[in-house]
Amino acid sequence: MNLELKAEVLEEFSGNRLDRFLKLSFGDEVSRASIQKWIESGFVRNQDDRIQDKSSIKVKVGDRYSVSVPPRPPLNLEPVPMDLPVILDRENYLILHKPAGIASHSGPGDRSPSLVNGLLFHFKELSKAGGESRPGIVHRLDKPTEGLILIAKNDRAHGKLSELFRKREIQKKYYAWVQGHPPEEEGTIDLPIARHPVERLKMTISPKGRRSITHYKVLKYINSRSGRKFSFVDIGLETGRTHQIRVHFQSQRCPVVGDLLYSRAGAQFESYGLQLLSYFLKFKDPFTGESIEANLPLTERFLRFEKNAPLF
C-alpha cells in the first residue's frame, strides 16, 4: 500500500520552494533528501492532478499537494537487544518509554545504537515512510531526553499519526528541572527558533526562525544551601521544534539541568542526565476515534536530583 500524504500551503509557507514546503509540512522525521527524491520520481501532484517534478517550484497560498509514495524495499539495519518498555500496544501503533541517552534514529557521525536498532529487535512490523534508516519513527525525542514516544507499525498509521502532529492534535507534556527561577510562575515563551548559524548542532532564537510556542507552570522551587536556585516545571508544547524546550528555557536564563549543549553548568549535573521527561501524550486514535492518554511517573534519576538539589 502506498503512503499517502497531503499538504495545503498556508500564508506562512507561501513563496517557499516545493521541497522546503513539504519538509516543513511533514516534520523532522522525513528528510529533505527523501522529499526531493519523491519529487524527482513523480510522486508529487498538485490540486489539478499534475505531476510536480521540480523541487525549485515556488508554492503559493491555497496550493494543495498530494504525495503518493510506493512501499520501500526491505530494511537492512542491525537489530540490537534493548530495554524498551511498552506503555501501550495497539494494532497500528505503539507508545514506548524511550530511555535517556538513546537517539531516536542514527544521525551523522553517531554510530551508537539508536532506538531504531532496538525496535528492529523487538518488533516485526514497523512503518517505512520516514526513510529506510527510520522505521517506525513518527516523531523524535532528543538523544538525552527520556519519555513517551509514538511508533507506527505500518505506513498507513505513519501517515495518520504524522497528520495529527502536523495539525497539532497531539497533546505533549514534559517535566523538567531547570536552573534558576523563570520570570513568572506560569507563562508562555513565544520566540522563533532557527538553526544556529555557526554551531550547526545547536538551535537558537532568531527572528528568521519558525514560530515556537512553549507553555509552562512552575510546580516547585528549590534553593540550595549555597544559594543556587532550581525550578521544577510542567511544560506543554504548542509547536514541536528541534530542541524547543531547551532553547526556550536557555533564553530565559533557566537552562535545563544537565544540558551539555545549552548550559555552561551542564557538566556539573552530568551524573543525573538531562532533566527533561516526556511524561504525557494525549490524542484521538485516528482509526477508532478513541481518546488515548499515556502517562509516565518521574523516574529514579529525577527523584534523585530533587533529593540532592538542596545540597548543591
Side-chain angles (χ1 to χ4, degrees), residues 16-272:
N16 276 292
R17 287 167 49 111
L18 177 59
D19 57 348
R20 175 168 169 76
F21 161 67
L22 293 178
K23 171 71 175 123
L24 294 173
S25 296
F26 299 152
D28 292 332
E29 298 312 327
V30 178
S31 71
R32 192 164 176 178
S34 293
I35 290 171
Q36 289 170 342
K37 288 181 181 178
W38 295 349
I39 294 171
E40 293 168 4
S41 300
F43 299 155
V44 179
R45 294 176 178 267
N46 66 7
Q47 64 267 25
D48 299 321
D49 202 33
R50 293 181 179 177
I51 291 176
Q52 307 294 291
D53 58 2
K54 295 187 182 302
S55 295
S56 60
I57 292 172
K58 296 295 179 68
V59 302
K60 60 182 185 298
V61 175
D63 286 349
R64 298 188 305 278
Y65 295 92
S66 60
V67 183
S68 180
V69 184
R72 292 181 174 269
L75 298 169
N76 185 24
L77 294 171
E78 181 183 357
V80 175
M82 196 176 293
D83 183 19
L84 299 176
V86 176
I87 306 302
L88 183 71
D89 188 352
R90 290 299 171 92
E91 180 181 357
N92 294 289
Y93 61 86
L94 301 151
I95 298 179
L96 301 180
H97 178 176
K98 185 190 87 68
I102 302 294
S104 297
H105 53 77
S106 297
D110 186 358
R111 296 181 176 273
S112 59
S114 70
L115 178 64
V116 164
N117 299 104
L119 292 174
L120 291 172
F121 181 85
H122 287 287
F123 308 106
K124 294 181 179 179
E125 291 184 89
L126 293 168
S127 71
K128 303 176 181 63
E132 292 185 13
S133 64
R134 306 178 184 184
I137 303 295
V138 181
H139 66 120
R140 64 185 291 274
L141 294 177
D142 297 339
K143 185 173 182 177
T145 301
E146 179 179 0
L148 298 173
I149 188 167
L150 259 171
I151 303 298
K153 291 184 178 180
N154 53 64
D155 286 355
R156 185 164 174 252
H158 191 115
K160 287 182 176 292
L161 293 172
S162 295
E163 182 75 359
L164 292 182
F165 276 106
R166 189 179 71 82
K167 292 182 175 179
R168 301 178 184 176
E169 293 178 355
I170 294 185
Q171 185 179 0
K172 297 181 290 182
K173 290 186 178 181
Y174 294 74
Y175 285 137
W177 278 103
V178 302
Q179 299 176 55
H181 293 172
E184 299 175 343
E185 183 176 337
E186 186 171 356
T188 295
I189 306 171
D190 185 350
L191 294 171
I193 293 176
R195 180 71 59 182
H196 196 287
V198 178
E199 300 176 74
R200 303 305 292 172
L201 291 179
K202 297 176 68 173
M203 309 299 287
T204 189
I205 303 298
S206 168
K208 297 180 180 179
R210 300 170 67 190
R211 190 179 186 192
S212 308
I213 303 172
T214 302
H215 306 288
Y216 71 88
K217 181 178 182 179
V218 179
L219 302 180
K220 185 178 298 185
Y221 295 105
I222 289 180
N223 293 330
S224 75
R225 62 185 180 186
S226 66
R228 302 189 73 164
K229 298 178 180 180
F230 302 98
S231 304
F232 184 56
V233 188
D234 189 1
I235 300 165
L237 294 184
E238 190 169 323
T239 56
R241 312 305 181 205
T242 300
H243 299 176
Q244 178 172 319
I245 292 172
R246 300 162 68 184
V247 172
H248 268 175
F249 278 91
Q250 181 206 36
S251 75
Q252 306 301 301
R253 299 184 179 181
C254 295
V256 178
V257 170
D259 194 335
L260 301 179
L261 194 58
Y262 293 102
S263 171
R264 293 180 180 178
Q268 298 177 27
F269 309 105
E270 191 170 2
S271 63
Y272 300 96

